[in-house]
Amino acid sequence: MRAESAIIGAPMPTPIGHALAGVATAWAADLFPGDRRWRTASASASWYLRAGNGLTIACLALAVVPDVDLVYLAINSEGHRTITHSVGAVAFAGLLAAAIAVKARRPVARVALMCAAAYATHLLLDWLGADNTPPRGLQLLWPFSGAFYISDVDLFPPTVRHHILTAPIIRVNLRAIAYEIAMLLPIVVALWLVRVKALARFAAEMPRGNHAPQ
Ligand SMILES: [Zn+2]
């Protein structure tokens, strides 16, 4: 069957599910006590600033980026979910974020942990997803182990990234995207609502003229 053979090389979930998880991580991190006054913006500020500006975008990107290995996969037909889907890559993302935070004079540990966690959500979602491609799962513990891990929970349905413009594949992928949105969007919306309340306190306390740039 064409649709079934196309499932070879099928990663999961889609970039949409991963992006939602990245944003959720940034907003969840803002709920943790500590130095987060710099994450606030006044109620009259732009949506971009109120949503946590560049760092929220960075978390979104970090949650999607491990699948860059698909480019390599397209050339070599193997190697998906290896080192980009590992604790080694999570540590690298955290160190990179720490270096940028030092330069930007932001709380280093907080930014590093936030970015590492955003990257780690990609591994978590893939680990919870369905995978029909041998070797199934992720090389989660690289560089400590080359073994592949998968939960077999199949929380997220598989997606197909070959023949993506054919009707059966469009159906499979739209179903997967709808499933991801149904699972993750309510979490993102809930975090947004809680975060607005949590950070409003800091915004109100800020002296006039000391709000984040608008
Ligand atoms: Zn992945």
Side-chain angles (χ1 to χ4, degrees):
M1 268 167 65
R2 184 190 171 98
E4 237 163 53
S5 67
I7 284 175
I8 300 299
M12 71 296 144
T14 71
I16 293 170
H18 287 304
L20 287 171
V23 171
T25 307
W27 290 349
D30 287 335
L31 300 180
F32 281 88
D35 185 0
R36 54 192 168 145
R37 189 174 293 248
W38 57 282
R39 293 284 291 156
T40 64
S42 69
S44 58
S46 66
W47 278 100
Y48 173 71
L49 289 175
R50 291 178 66 206
N53 63 53
L55 185 53
T56 301
I57 303 280
C59 286
L60 183 157
L62 283 166
V64 175
V65 84
D67 280 343
V68 290
D69 60 1
L70 284 168
V71 178
Y72 179 80
L73 181 78
I75 304 163
N76 283 275
S77 80
E78 61 178 28
H80 185 45
R81 278 183 249 112
T82 57
I83 62 171
T84 60
H85 288 64
S86 69
V87 288
V90 171
F92 179 75
L95 287 173
L96 190 68
I100 294 169
V102 168
K103 251 192 145 8
R105 296 174 191 279
R106 295 299 190 195
V108 176
R110 192 174 182 97
V111 172
L113 285 172
M114 193 189 252
C115 290
Y119 196 105
T121 61
H122 187 106
L123 279 48
L124 177 68
L125 263 58
D126 276 6
W127 181 70
L128 290 171
D131 185 9
N132 305 317
T133 319
R136 295 171 61 246
L138 307 73
Q139 223 167 35
L140 210 51
L141 297 183
W142 183 90
F144 307 106
S145 161
F148 283 75
Y149 295 89
I150 185 106
S151 67
D152 280 325
V153 170
D154 291 1
L155 196 61
F156 298 96
T159 56
V160 185
R161 294 186 192 181
H162 298 283
H163 313 292
I164 56 169
L165 295 179
T166 58
I169 305 303
I170 289 173
R171 264 200 303 278
V172 167
N173 285 342
L174 282 181
R175 180 176 163 270
I177 290 170
Y179 203 85
E180 290 165 14
I181 290 174
M183 297 244 307
L184 296 169
L185 191 62
I187 297 172
V188 170
V189 171
L191 283 168
W192 168 260
L193 295 173
V194 176
R195 180 181 178 274
V196 165
K197 279 208 162 163
L199 295 187
R201 192 163 50 88
F202 292 111
E205 279 172 12
M206 274 195 284
R208 265 188 107 60
N210 197 24
H211 285 172
Q214 293 174 27

